[in-house]
Amino acid sequence: GIEDFVAWAEGKRACVYKDSLGIPTVGIGFNMQRSDARSIFSRYGIDYDAVLKGTKCLTDSQISSLFNNDLSWANSGAQSCVPSYSQHPR
């Protein structure tokens, strides 16, 4: 599915790493410096501080939760920009 494809293209890491711009990143390209990162982690019961410090890594389920959260946000944005978006194949 889409998650597997994006993970293949973007990479998938359970533990925090610095991306090419030096931004702490985890999972499938999840930017840990974005303004809503802490609240999204909290929503899924993930200890933001421990992951950021590198003392805890994500499970596959947590990685999927973060990815699906962003995918839902992206789909909503596409729907608002392209009224016929829901009629297109996914």
Side-chain angles (χ1 to χ4, degrees):
I2 187 76
E3 182 177 344
D4 291 331
F5 176 76
V6 175
W8 171 81
E10 172 77 23
K12 177 179 174 180
R13 296 193 194 177
C15 300
V16 69
Y17 66 97
K18 300 238 175 157
D19 72 5
S20 60
L21 298 175
I23 297 168
T25 305
V26 71
I28 304 171
F30 188 94
N31 176 339
M32 293 191 68
Q33 287 184 340
R34 59 193 257 190
S35 61
D36 60 350
R38 187 177 292 277
S39 65
I40 292 170
F41 271 56
S42 178
R43 180 181 313 146
Y44 298 109
I46 305 169
D47 184 337
Y48 176 87
D49 292 316
V51 173
L52 184 61
K53 289 178 194 171
T55 58
K56 186 169 185 176
C57 296
L58 301 178
T59 65
D60 281 339
S61 176
Q62 291 169 327
I63 292 170
S64 289
S65 292
L66 295 176
F67 178 81
N68 287 315
N69 179 81
D70 285 355
L71 183 60
S72 176
W73 174 85
N75 278 324
S76 294
Q79 179 66 45
S80 68
C81 292
V82 181
S84 63
Y85 178 76
S86 63
Q87 298 167 3
H88 294 273
R90 292 186 213 190

